[in-house]
Structure formats: C-alpha cells, structure tokens
Amino acid sequence: MSADGPPGAAGDARLLRRTWRRLILWSGGITLAILVVLGAAIYLAVDRSLSDSTEQRLRDRAGQIADFIGQTPGQDASLGPQLQTGIVFGGPSSGTLAMVIGPANESVGPQNSRFDGLPDMTAVAAARAGATDVRQTSIDGTPIQLVSEPVVHLGQTYVIQVIADRTAEARALQLLLVVLIVGGVAALGLSVGGGSLYARRALVPIRDSLRRQREFAADASHELRTPLAVVRGSVEHLLRHPASTIADQHETLDDIKAETDHLTELVDALLLLARADSGTIELERQPLELADATTTALEPLTGFAAERGVTLQLDARPTPAVGDALRIRQLITILVDNAIRHSPPGGTVSVHTQPSGDRAVVSVSDEGPGIRPEDLPRVFERFWRAPDAPSGGAGLGLSIARWIVERHGGTIEASSPISGGARFEVSLPTR
C-alpha cells in the first residue's frame, strides 16, 4: 500500500492503511476475546471435573466409614478399638485420608491421629450443624479437599473427615493453564498474521475502486473542460458584440448549441455510469425479438449515417432473446453510432442478428481503420479513446455498452478482422 503517486493516491493509501490497521485490530481483538472465553471455559470445566471426581471419592470413603460405625455394637468407649486407627489409608478409595472426630472433638483412635492443621475444626463444626461440609483449603502449603460428614452413633454425633491431596490436580491445572496461554498466544499470532494477509487482499478491490473513482473524476473534469471553454468563449464573443443580431452571430450560437448538446450527452452518460456503479438501475427481463429491437434502434441513425456518407446494411434474422428492450436498443445504438463515426465516406456499416444455440447474437462491423492489437484490451475502458479516433465523443459509449451486456448476463467482444475495419459481437441469453 505505497503512498507514491499523486496527492489523491497518497490520501487513498493513508485511508487504506488506517482501514487495514483497524481490520487487524478488530480481527485480533475478536480472536483474543474468543480465546479468553474459550480458555476460561475449558479451565473451569476441567477444574470442576477434577473437583467433582475427588469429592465423589471422598464421599464414598466417608460412606464406608459411616456404615462401619453404624454396625459397631456396644458403648461409645468401644468405638475407638473397633476403628483401630483414627487415620486410615488404602481401600477402595485409595489416596484418601480419613479421620473420625468424637462428640468432644477428640480424635477417635490412636493418639498420633492428629496432624498439624488436622482435623479441620471449622469443617467439623459445620458438619455438626447437620449437613455434609465440602471445602478446599491447604495445609502447610499443600492444597487439599476435604469432606466432613456427621454420623450419629449411640446418641452421640461423630464427624467423619476424609481428606485428599490435590497437589496432582493443581499441577495438572497449572500445566493446562500454560498450554492454554501458549496456545492462545500462538493462535492470536496466527490470527493477526492471517488477518493481515486477508485484510490486504480484501482491500485490493477497494483500492482499485478508489483508483477508478479518482481517474473517473479526473477524466470527467477533463472532458467537461473543453466544451465549457468553447461555450464560455462563445458567450464572451457575444458580449463583445452587443449590437450584433442573431443572424450575424448564428455560427457562434451554433457552436454553443453543439457544445451544449455535447455536454448534455456527456452528463447523461456520467449519470448513467454513476448509477450503474451504485447498483440503483434495475433492468426489466422480458422476452423480446432482437431483430425488432435492432431495426427500431437503427431508424434514428439513418440520417446521421447519410450525413457522413455511410451506408447502413441490416441483416435481421428472427432472434428471440430476454432482456430490457430499452437498454438493448441503447446498446445497439451505441455500437452502430460508434461504427458510423469510424467509417470513411462511402463505407458500409453491417448489422446482423441471428440465434446461436441458446444465445442471441448481434454483430456490428464497419470499414474503418480497425483496432490496433495493442488497443483491443482497452476499447471498453471509460474515457479511453484511440489516438487516431475521430473528433467528438468522450470515450464512454463502449463502457456503457459493456455494462448493459454484462447486466444481461451476456458477453461482448471487439475484434479487427484481417479484411479491415472493426467488429463488435454481442451474445445475449435467450431465457
């Protein structure tokens, strides 16, 4: 997106750069937001899954001990020997640590059953209130999860507290967090890089459109300047001769009329192209007879051809087509008018219509100088005129013709046959 070139091009380049940066920022910002939400959801889901799995394991262990206590006969004093230890390892819930706390908050079992920080008396008090308490905390920097469940035995309330070390889970979550961060940064980098390339490609048609718009305005200004200068010069001439009659200044008035007609034609063409670019022109697609449309379009051009000494030759075979009759006649008028202007006195302009498979074809040929091979790719460009083109015209007619054909879903081709002259062939759909 170089800023080289005329000031207008530099302004377009700055606008495109700003738009490019905004597209990248939007792309990166949206990607970042998605990654943050998705990463947080994954992290919380894994954390919840691990926590629920550990909690279920602890509840199972507490249930086993509760069942054992409920089956123990005798008085309260016999519970301790029956449990053998206050802290139990192994069993179906391996990896857990279980403690039984008596009615007086004493550990039931051997004296070494108390560890620093265990049992968690806050959890014990919560369990004595009559509900199972589940919480996560830490002991000497070690993350743990514990379940405290109340059990009534012989009229006394005991609390079973089962603990699980969450160090492995914490490490797994840390590793997951690192993976999410590294992966997120990599994904964000790829998104910004891909967004940058995509934005550049997406801005190409916009850049081309701005360039065409700038060239269109410059060409239109150039084309309008000449007839306006003629009109202004003619008016100044009339002002310098206020005593002259209309008969005396009829040549000057003819010049003004001719240039006014030229300006009207040019402005009409510019408005049509502007509306075509904005997509506000709707075409009526109806069955029509191409031969009849061609005949109607040629009638107003007969006098113009006679003035220039050119013969119009029509070979109109019945050719059904589908399209907008008004635009089709405008298309044929443009092609035939262009052919007449490029034909020498005594020349012939041939117009043919004929069906070809599922297409309707109309061709216009003249006996003029033809089109140079290097000019063929440019004949339909706006405001482009060949160096040897006859005076008059603004180089917009063929651009309008191409627009009409393309809007009908057809094709238009220009060629310069070996025999001489130029030939334009239009192919339109028949349904």
Side-chain angles (χ1 to χ4, degrees):
M1 299 180 185
S2 173
D4 297 338
D12 291 346
R14 287 193 295 270
L15 173 63
L16 291 172
R17 279 198 299 270
R18 288 196 299 269
T19 305
W20 175 70
R21 284 194 290 267
R22 288 175 182 175
L23 287 174
I24 294 176
L25 289 176
W26 274 104
S27 174
I30 292 174
T31 303
L32 179 61
I34 293 174
L35 289 174
V36 169
V37 173
L38 182 61
I42 293 175
Y43 183 87
L44 293 176
V46 172
D47 183 25
R48 171 56 58 188
S49 176
L50 292 175
S51 177
D52 290 346
S53 176
T54 301
E55 179 182 338
Q56 187 59 46
R57 210 155 35 97
L58 296 177
R59 286 181 178 274
D60 291 343
R61 185 67 184 275
Q64 294 171 2
I65 297 175
D67 291 343
F68 173 76
I69 292 176
Q71 298 171 3
T72 302
Q75 300 300 318
D76 177 45
S78 67
L79 184 59
Q82 294 286 349
L83 288 174
Q84 298 296 320
T85 65
I87 301 174
V88 185
F89 292 94
S93 301
S94 179
T96 62
L97 181 149
M99 306 182 69
V100 179
I101 297 89
N105 289 335
E106 76 281 8
S107 293
V108 178
Q111 296 300 318
N112 63 352
S113 61
R114 284 186 177 270
F115 285 73
D116 292 339
L118 290 178
D120 187 318
M121 299 311 298
T122 304
V124 170
R128 287 191 187 282
T132 300
D133 181 80
V134 180
R135 67 181 63 197
Q136 294 180 357
T137 183
S138 62
I139 298 295
D140 296 332
T142 301
I144 63 172
Q145 182 170 348
L146 54 88
V147 170
S148 303
E149 183 174 320
V151 176
V152 177
H153 177 67
L154 300 178
Q156 301 291 330
T157 300
Y158 295 82
V159 175
I160 304 169
Q161 194 166 89
V162 187
I163 305 100
D165 187 351
R166 298 189 67 249
T167 302
E169 294 179 14
R171 289 175 180 172
L173 290 173
Q174 289 176 354
L175 179 60
L176 176 62
L177 184 62
V178 170
V179 171
L180 290 175
I181 292 175
V182 173
V185 170
L188 182 61
L190 291 174
S191 174
V192 171
S196 174
L197 295 176
Y198 178 78
R200 287 184 183 275
R201 296 191 63 178
L203 290 174
V204 168
I206 299 177
R207 181 181 60 198
D208 293 341
S209 177
L210 290 173
R211 176 182 56 80
R212 289 194 301 269
Q213 183 181 32
R214 187 175 61 253
E215 293 174 351
F216 183 82
D219 292 337
S221 300
H222 175 74
E223 292 295 334
L224 290 170
R225 188 179 296 114
T226 300
L228 286 174
V230 173
V231 171
R232 180 173 182 174
S234 299
V235 172
E236 290 176 350
H237 174 75
L238 293 174
L239 292 175
R240 286 194 299 268
H241 302 83
S244 300
T245 64
I246 292 179
D248 295 334
Q249 300 295 338
H250 71 89
E251 292 184 359
T252 302
L253 293 174
D254 287 342
D255 290 341
I256 293 176
K257 182 180 183 304
E259 294 305 324
T260 302
D261 292 341
H262 183 199
L263 281 172
T264 302
E265 180 183 350
L266 180 58
V267 170
D268 288 343
L270 290 174
L271 288 175
L272 176 60
L273 289 173
R275 293 175 60 197
D277 289 342
S278 63
T280 59
I281 300 179
E282 297 293 335
L283 300 183
E284 294 183 3
R285 300 183 183 274
Q286 298 179 349
L288 58 88
E289 177 52 56
L290 187 59
D292 294 341
T294 303
T295 302
T296 303
L298 291 184
E299 290 176 358
L301 297 173
T302 304
F304 177 57
E307 290 177 3
R308 301 183 68 94
V310 176
T311 301
L312 287 180
Q313 187 178 78
L314 174 61
D315 179 13
R317 302 179 186 178
T319 306
V322 172
D324 189 313
L326 176 63
R327 295 302 177 189
I328 295 297
R329 289 196 297 269
Q330 183 181 14
L331 163 68
I332 296 171
T333 299
I334 291 172
L335 296 179
V336 175
D337 178 83
N338 181 73
I340 294 173
R341 293 179 184 276
H342 286 81
S343 295
T348 300
V349 172
S350 302
V351 183
H352 298 271
T353 64
Q354 63 181 7
S356 178
D358 61 348
R359 311 291 285 182
V361 178
V362 57
S363 62
V364 178
S365 304
D366 62 54
E367 296 178 351
I371 306 172
R372 296 181 301 180
E374 61 269 23
D375 293 338
L376 283 174
R378 304 193 62 188
V379 293
F380 296 107
E381 291 183 8
R382 297 178 182 182
F383 295 106
W384 185 85
R385 301 178 75 243
D388 57 349
S391 60
L396 294 176
L398 292 179
S399 297
I400 295 174
R402 180 178 63 177
W403 169 78
I404 294 173
V405 173
E406 291 178 347
R407 281 299 302 273
H408 280 81
T411 60
I412 182 170
E413 296 179 354
S415 61
S416 190
I418 299 177
S419 57
R423 185 175 187 271
F424 291 85
E425 181 176 290
V426 174
S427 175
L428 299 172
T430 57
R431 60 179 183 271

